[in-house]
Amino acid sequence: QVQLVESGGGLVQAGDSLTLSCAASGRTFSSYTMGWFRQAPGKEREFVATIVPSGGITYYANSVKGRFTISRDNTKNTVYLRMNSLKREDTAVYYCAGKTGYSSTLYPGHFGSWGQGTQVTVSS
């Protein structure tokens, strides 16, 4: 398993942009499908975006499609989430997650490695 550490969260205003980073330890990062999930108070953890090991294919939740971009740099063992045009409903704790191999799964339970989360708060 890889160890994951998120950073980049904070308090922003609606319409602002923010980039989250997730640094992974271990030599096998480039073989992991990586994902971003989020959990708002009182709600279940939900899928935001995933990216396959090569970075060539990405998946997005409908709620963030066109506003968020997931990317990765396998030379730096890091995955990113660029968030544009933030809305109040994007407020949540954002988690980075990893799953060995190529996968198109959107289900949090399928990911075996998780970071501690980073808070994103969007004010109006």
Side-chain angles (χ1 to χ4, degrees):
Q1 302 284 14
V2 292
Q3 282 71 52
L4 305 173
V5 178
E6 303 98 334
S7 62
L11 173 63
V12 296
Q13 292 188 334
D16 285 351
S17 298
L18 201 61
T19 298
L20 306 182
S21 300
C22 173
S25 64
R27 300 179 181 179
T28 58
F29 174 78
S30 61
S31 66
Y32 274 65
T33 289
M34 298 300 298
W36 286 97
F37 295 81
R38 66 187 182 186
Q39 188 166 16
K43 295 186 177 181
E44 293 187 353
R45 192 167 297 188
E46 66 174 5
F47 160 74
V48 175
T50 56
I51 186 167
V52 300
S54 69
I57 299 175
T58 56
Y59 301 91
Y60 295 94
N62 287 335
S63 59
V64 306
K65 197 172 295 183
R67 299 188 298 122
F68 290 12
T69 302
I70 188 171
S71 62
R72 67 190 296 162
D73 186 339
N74 286 342
T75 67
K76 296 182 178 179
N77 281 12
T78 302
V79 62
Y80 306 95
L81 185 69
R82 174 68 175 178
M83 305 183 292
N84 295 329
S85 302
L86 282 162
K87 304 175 181 180
R88 285 193 64 183
E89 51 263 42
D90 295 318
T91 295
V93 177
Y94 283 71
Y95 296 91
C96 173
K99 181 185 186 306
T100 55
Y102 178 101
S103 177
S104 60
T105 183
L106 312 179
Y107 179 55
H110 291 169
F111 286 76
S113 299
W114 289 86
Q116 82 288 350
T118 185
Q119 176 71 46
V120 173
T121 303
V122 183
S123 64
S124 59

